[in-house]
Amino acid sequence: MRIAIGSGKGGTGKTTLTVALAQAAIESVQVLDCDVEEPNAHLFLRPELKESQSVTLLTPEVNAAACTGCGECSRMCQFNAIVALSSQAMVFPELCHGCGGCTMVCPHEAIKEVSYPIGTLEKGKAGDIEFAQGTLTVGRAMSPPVIRAVKNQAIQDGLVLLDCPPGTACPFMAAVKGVDAVILVTEPTAFGLHDLGLAVDTIVELGLPMGVVVNRVHEEENNITAFCHERDIPVLLQIPEQRSIAEAYSQGKSLIDADPSLRKSLQGVLETVTSWITKGGQR
């Protein structure tokens, strides 16, 4: 079972919840940190990372001797990653999406694909928790291939928790594609409500079952619970704003370390979401 933990905005507590759910899980569990632009689940799980490998993207390389500058490759590319000059083509690998189209349309077979490093994949374990994370190389813009490389490490048996990138753009879509359910984490603020609405609309379009966890709660009845009631979205858990939780977080400790009484509630969240999955996505 693959459960994605996402949010419409950053800083709502996705990683905090992902780590706590993994620690509370009764069955075998794996955490995939798909927030490749700033992975930080390892700061709380402290896994022993035993494997590391480069993540690459196939990008074009032009044979200057064979290229005539006809422009077929440039006309084909929708991302301006290859541009035809007067006598030959110039490649901008940072813009390339690795589709291979330019290689296919070149009438002179002057283009071949070469590996272009864009990130790093690391694997390990934190106690009984399997762990994998990706890190996008500074200066690179294409995070979805790194996210897909992380997702390819998913275990076949057991629970897989995906810590997703914030927002609803391409990185988030790459992370949630193919998952069984989504937990959205938000906070009871105006910004939290606005961005939660964007995330909910996205998940509705994908047709995935979802629930909401509200973090840093002062009052049980708030703008998020009102929104969820209106949209018929289950509120799975409300986490109170406590100084002890903030202090534990600043020290690299998990939510369960700060408040062990939340373990049972977190297990209840997992039981609820996994029951949706076993019922074919029905709540």
Side-chain angles (χ1 to χ4, degrees):
M1 296 183 182
R2 300 186 181 191
I3 301 174
I5 293 87
S7 68
K9 64 184 288 292
T12 59
K14 289 184 292 78
T15 301
T16 300
L17 181 65
T18 303
V19 170
L21 288 173
Q23 293 178 331
I26 298 174
E27 60 185 308
S28 59
V29 63
Q30 179 187 43
V31 170
L32 300 179
D33 195 341
C34 297
D35 189 2
V36 300
E37 294 183 55
E38 194 175 3
N40 60 353
H42 67 282
L43 298 176
F44 303 94
L45 287 172
R46 297 183 179 85
E48 182 181 355
L49 299 173
K50 297 182 178 180
E51 299 180 43
S52 178
Q53 64 188 68
S54 178
V55 180
T56 61
L57 184 70
L58 291 176
T59 58
E61 182 179 80
V62 179
N63 181 348
C67 179
T68 64
C70 69
E72 287 298 318
C73 57
S74 180
R75 283 187 284 275
M76 188 275 169
C77 184
Q78 301 298 304
F79 303 99
N80 299 315
I82 186 166
V83 178
L85 303 177
S86 58
S87 59
Q88 69 178 61
M90 178 179 290
V91 177
F92 300 93
E94 297 85 358
L95 302 177
C96 181
H97 283 55
C99 72
C102 57
T103 305
M104 297 173 63
V105 301
C106 179
H108 307 289
E109 298 184 354
I111 302 175
K112 68 176 181 178
E113 291 182 306
V114 296
S115 294
Y116 179 69
I118 59 172
T120 304
L121 170 69
E122 296 175 290
K123 295 173 61 180
K125 292 191 72 174
D128 294 329
I129 301 173
E130 296 283 347
F131 181 80
Q133 69 175 9
T135 306
L136 185 69
T137 300
V138 175
R140 303 291 190 257
M142 290 291 295
S143 62
V146 183
I147 293 171
R148 288 192 289 269
V150 176
K151 292 176 65 179
N152 287 339
Q153 308 308 310
I155 57 176
Q156 299 302 311
D157 297 315
L159 177 65
V160 180
L161 301 174
L162 295 86
D163 186 4
C164 297
T168 56
C170 292
F172 175 73
M173 298 297 288
V176 300
K177 183 178 180 181
V179 303
D180 299 301
V182 179
I183 299 174
L184 295 174
V185 188
T186 189
E187 57 194 9
T189 63
F191 285 124
L193 176 60
H194 175 270
D195 293 335
L196 173 65
L198 298 177
V200 165
D201 290 341
T202 302
I203 301 305
V204 168
E205 287 294 321
L206 295 174
L208 294 170
M210 65 176 151
V212 170
V213 170
V214 192
N215 194 17
R216 294 193 286 270
V217 173
H218 290 276
E219 299 177 354
E220 288 191 7
E221 297 297 325
N222 49 65
N223 61 344
I224 301 299
T225 57
F227 170 83
C228 291
H229 178 73
E230 180 182 340
R231 296 289 297 266
D232 191 28
I233 302 169
V235 176
L236 299 168
L237 177 65
Q238 297 203 68
I239 302 172
E241 182 164 40
Q242 297 177 1
R243 182 180 180 89
S244 59
I245 294 177
E247 289 178 350
Y249 181 89
S250 69
Q251 297 168 11
K253 297 179 181 179
S254 74
L255 184 61
I256 290 182
D257 292 331
D259 189 351
S261 67
L262 286 171
R263 180 183 293 272
K264 190 171 183 179
S265 297
L266 292 164
Q267 291 173 345
V269 170
L270 289 175
E271 290 173 4
T272 298
V273 178
T274 54
S275 70
W276 298 345
I277 298 171
T278 55
K279 295 175 182 177
Q282 299 297 318
R283 290 196 274 115

